[in-house]
Amino acid sequence: MKIVVCVKQVPDTEAEKRLLPDTLTVDRESSNPVLNEMDEFAIEEALKLAEAHGGEVTVLTMGPDGADAAVRKALSMGADAGILLTDPALAGSDAVATSYALAQALGTTEYDLVILGSEASDARTSLVPAMLAERLGLPQLTFASKVEIDGTDITVNRLTDYGHDVVKAQLPAVVSVVEKINEPRYPSFKGIMAAKKKPVAQLDTAAAGIDAALVGAGAAATAVVDAAQRPPRTAGVKVSDDGDGGVKLAEFLSAKKFI
Amino acid sequence: MAEILVLVDHADGAVKKVTLELLTKARALGTPSAVFIGAGYDKASEKLAEYGAAKVYVAEDGELDAYVTAPKAELLAKLVADTGAAAVLVPATAEGKEVAARLAIKTGSGVLTDAVDVSADLIAEQSIFGGSTVAHSKVTQGTPIIAMRPNATAPEAVPAAAERVEVSVELTDAAKLAKVVEKVVLPKGDRPELTEASIVVSGGRGVGSGENFAIIEKLADALGAAVGASRAAVDAGWYPHQAQVGQTGKTVSPQLYIAAGISGAIQHRAGMQTSKTIVAINKDEEAPIFELADYGVIGDLFKVVPQVTEEILKRK
Ligand SMILES: Cc1cc2nc3c(=O)[nH]c(=O)nc-3n(C[C@H](O)[C@H](O)[C@H](O)COP(=O)(O)OP(=O)(O)OC[C@H]3O[C@@H](n4cnc5c(N)ncnc54)[C@H](O)[C@@H]3O)c2cc1C
């Protein structure tokens, strides 16, 4: 089985994120770029499926030059190969364009299954997995908390507002995973060393068959008009419980008219 | 005035509050047309009329609910083409955003998520980066699709005709690839829904067990609040995943958020830091949750929570 995991390099999870005042794009310079946390769960699931059913795991990322840090992390966890889709023309792509670019890049390789994290910690739209399924004309098995494969049958538990749906489809398919699905492994020292020798193919728009007019900031179907940072929240009153902490809290709630 | 399509969020005809919020917003943008997909329209019609749906496109065909999101997007795409709608509003829930995603590709349109407001010229206000930045954005291609956060608008009843228009769509094979073979519905108590509640009381790892969540529930009931949980509490199996607040759970923005035994990890803060008033109860004085709390009690939640509950009941 051939599995491709689409991953994204994002600003450090813990860093204060902001839009650059001039370009209104995400500030990616002021913090360390990391592999999107949720994508670690996607990689882990791919590795587990490949271990159980035999197969190969390739990671695909679209990003600026240097976004191979995300690919390297995935390779050190155990993925077999990487594809880095990078081209200045892609900068500023929105979800619509990103899904197009990923769909085209996927066309350069063979796969039975595409796995993504259910959202990226920077934009947090959760749009790309569903858009990719739509573009590829493949089953959309998103928000999966469990994935089972039997031959070409795939069954997932899809988390919903009311509980979960059990969803069945045939491979090839597009899956997105939630963080309930597994516990991502840490790269071992051996894994980190081995990753250095694994192949990472680099694609530009032409090599991926991407029409450059359909991607990048110029082609975006949405535009940020303006943005402002909210003043950070400040800590208010802090009291130690000396036996009457609950009473004091009730007084606060009462003063605020919650009671 | 052009039609504004509003995708109705409902459970077997019980209309979710977010739908009433979307209808309220849609009224400022054009003529609201609700789109009702699934069973139970008879139960829904009155509410949709009360909150201003001039028309309701009703698609009760069970096929539309039998597959993951794609059928809904196909129906909406057909309605966008047939009505020349000026915009489509959907709830910014996991499913709403995915329907929006597919619709955007089908109609060649841009989509904006997590909008907390939208102006008459279709500029959406978005709360991004866990609420630390407010951005204004617009769709520059196709028919704007805007996913609106629940609980960001006060719904206003302005009755309209809610003229029923039956609609259907011949589903493509591509829409029938991911078949829902079973719906597992967890029992839902009488408490308000998390994303709709004006007060939320959440428990974290500090609560210690599923049984202990009873003290969180008692406080919630004393305040008429919804119950939330951190991922640690959900992963431990103490509370169902629908109650998870945070990056991968629900985003809530209530008048009052009480966090008990929650440290305040960035992924948790991402789902609650735009709450109007935040209260934290934690025995660790250094817990990051205190950095955003308007009122913090450093103490044992097993003492503080029952005491505040008792006080509230006494004062009521
Ligand atoms: C991809 C990803 C997505 C995530 N999404 C989410 C999400 O959506 N929501 C979420 O919440 N987390 C999420 N997390 C997890 C997050 O990083 C934290 O691990 C989690 O929020 C911790 O939960 P907690 O605060 O309950 O537990 P802890 O961090 O363990 O904190 C427990 C707190 O309880 C206090 N405490 C203990 N006993 C008592 C007592 N008797 N009285 C008072 N206080 C007490 C402790 O001092 C401590 O501060 C995500 C993580 C990842 C990697």
Side-chain angles (χ1 to χ4, degrees):
Chain A
M1 185 165 54
K2 288 196 160 61
I3 307 174
V4 178
V5 186
C6 299
V7 304
K8 185 179 185 188
Q9 185 162 294
V10 296
D12 190 356
T13 319
E14 295 289 332
E16 189 66 50
K17 288 175 258 302
R18 59 170 203 144
L19 294 178
L20 291 169
D22 44 346
T23 58
L24 297 174
T25 54
V26 179
D27 178 4
R28 300 183 185 282
E29 300 295 317
S30 64
S31 68
N32 278 336
V34 297
L35 171 61
N36 176 43
E37 265 184 322
M38 192 72 82
D39 299 344
E40 292 180 24
F41 297 81
I43 295 161
E44 177 65 33
E45 199 57 25
L47 294 173
K48 278 168 80 174
L49 289 170
E51 281 156 14
H53 302 278
E56 244 172 68
V57 177
T58 301
V59 279
L60 164 63
T61 195
M62 168 179 132
D65 217 6
D68 52 335
V71 175
R72 289 286 160 204
K73 168 100 189 251
L75 294 177
S76 63
M77 286 174 72
D80 301 291
I83 303 174
L84 171 60
L85 173 61
T86 187
D87 197 310
L90 294 164
S93 293
D94 63 358
V96 171
T98 300
S99 62
Y100 163 66
L102 290 176
Q104 293 301 106
L106 282 164
T108 67
T109 181
E110 281 173 27
Y111 57 86
D112 305 293
L113 187 58
V114 180
I115 310 185
L116 304 90
S118 58
E119 76 174 22
S121 64
D122 51 357
R124 293 190 57 200
T125 68
S126 287
L127 294 173
V128 171
M131 285 181 169
L132 195 57
E134 170 76 29
R135 288 194 182 274
L136 296 171
L138 295 180
Q140 176 196 327
L141 306 172
T142 43
F143 293 102
S145 63
K146 185 175 162 197
V147 177
E148 272 172 353
I149 289 179
D150 182 5
T152 58
D153 294 338
I154 177 164
T155 308
V156 308
N157 283 0
R158 165 179 166 82
L159 290 192
T160 64
D161 266 356
Y162 46 79
H164 69 265
D165 286 348
V166 181
V167 184
K168 276 191 190 302
Q170 292 289 307
L171 296 178
V174 175
V175 167
S176 84
V177 303
V178 298
E179 92 293 355
K180 304 268 169 278
I181 195 163
N182 56 42
E183 196 57 59
R185 65 194 70 183
Y186 287 103
S188 64
F189 180 69
K190 214 173 123 214
I192 294 167
M193 295 315 287
K196 296 191 169 139
K197 298 196 198 78
K198 289 179 180 168
V200 177
Q202 193 154 326
L203 292 181
D204 59 10
T205 47
I210 293 167
D211 178 349
L214 298 180
V215 293
T222 55
V224 181
V225 182
D226 62 54
Q229 255 169 302
R230 272 221 187 93
R233 281 194 95 99
T234 46
V237 183
K238 206 153 102 177
V239 300
S240 282
D241 177 29
D242 298 317
D244 62 350
V247 176
K248 282 187 183 152
L249 176 53
E251 276 161 17
F252 170 80
L253 295 177
S254 174
K256 287 271 187 182
K257 307 255 183 305
F258 289 118
I259 314 175
Chain B
M1 264 203 297
E3 287 183 49
I4 306 294
L5 299 177
V6 170
L7 179 62
V8 175
D9 193 357
H10 69 98
D12 294 322
V15 176
K16 300 266 171 79
K17 185 166 153 245
V18 65
T19 303
L20 314 181
E21 297 165 12
L22 298 190
L23 286 171
T24 301
K25 275 293 157 212
R27 219 180 292 135
L29 311 176
T31 307
S33 294
V35 181
F36 184 95
I37 302 174
Y41 179 64
D42 289 344
K43 219 164 150 200
S45 59
E46 210 176 303
K47 264 261 145 70
L48 299 176
E50 188 184 344
Y51 282 84
K55 265 188 216 166
V56 188
Y57 297 106
V58 181
E60 286 187 299
D61 180 2
E63 278 252 291
L64 292 168
D65 249 347
Y67 307 92
V68 176
T69 62
K72 290 182 178 148
E74 287 200 350
L75 180 82
L76 280 175
K78 182 170 182 244
L79 287 173
V80 166
D82 291 352
T83 63
V88 182
L89 302 186
V90 303
T93 55
E95 159 141 335
K97 290 201 281 187
E98 290 196 327
V99 172
R102 300 191 75 116
L103 180 64
I105 302 300
K106 285 181 187 300
T107 58
S109 306
V111 42
L112 296 169
T113 56
D114 295 302
V116 291
D117 199 2
V118 53
S119 64
D121 52 357
L122 289 171
I123 302 226
E125 182 170 309
Q126 294 171 291
S127 178
I128 59 174
F129 302 145
S132 66
T133 296
V134 177
H136 291 96
S137 310
K138 61 180 180 197
V139 170
T140 53
Q141 286 172 30
T143 305
I145 305 165
I146 301 173
M148 305 260 326
R149 278 260 176 86
N151 227 5
T153 309
E156 282 166 41
V158 176
E163 180 203 338
R164 177 175 180 155
V165 183
E166 297 298 328
V167 288
S168 63
V169 65
E170 184 79 33
L171 292 182
T172 64
D173 289 343
K176 297 195 273 192
L177 295 172
K179 186 164 175 53
V180 178
V181 293
E182 190 188 349
K183 275 188 199 291
V184 178
V185 181
L186 295 177
K188 185 171 140 304
D190 297 329
R191 293 190 186 89
E193 206 153 324
L194 195 51
T195 51
E196 298 178 356
S198 55
I199 303 181
V200 174
V201 182
S202 290
R205 200 194 306 273
V207 175
S209 73
E211 295 79 66
N212 290 350
F213 254 83
I215 68 164
I216 301 293
E217 292 179 334
K218 282 195 189 118
L219 174 55
D221 292 343
L223 289 165
V227 175
S230 73
R231 176 183 168 208
V234 170
D235 283 5
W238 303 340
Y239 228 68
H241 76 84
Q242 292 96 319
Q244 184 169 319
V245 172
Q247 188 194 322
T248 44
K250 303 271 160 58
T251 298
V252 299
S253 198
Q255 297 299 317
L256 171 64
Y257 187 86
I258 302 182
I262 292 178
S263 63
I266 190 155
Q267 296 92 346
H268 188 78
R269 297 205 302 266
M272 48 65 76
Q273 66 188 2
T274 60
S275 304
K276 299 285 175 315
T277 298
I278 296 174
V279 168
I281 302 162
N282 197 302
K283 67 180 182 189
D284 173 12
E285 171 172 9
E286 305 289 322
I289 190 78
F290 285 126
E291 290 163 23
L292 40 150
D294 299 287
Y295 197 87
V297 182
I298 306 161
D300 185 348
L301 72 89
F302 295 105
K303 298 208 175 91
V304 178
V305 173
Q307 191 178 67
V308 68
T309 308
E310 197 186 317
E311 268 305 300
I312 291 167
L313 294 174
K314 238 194 270 173
R315 284 165 194 245
K316 275 218 284 210

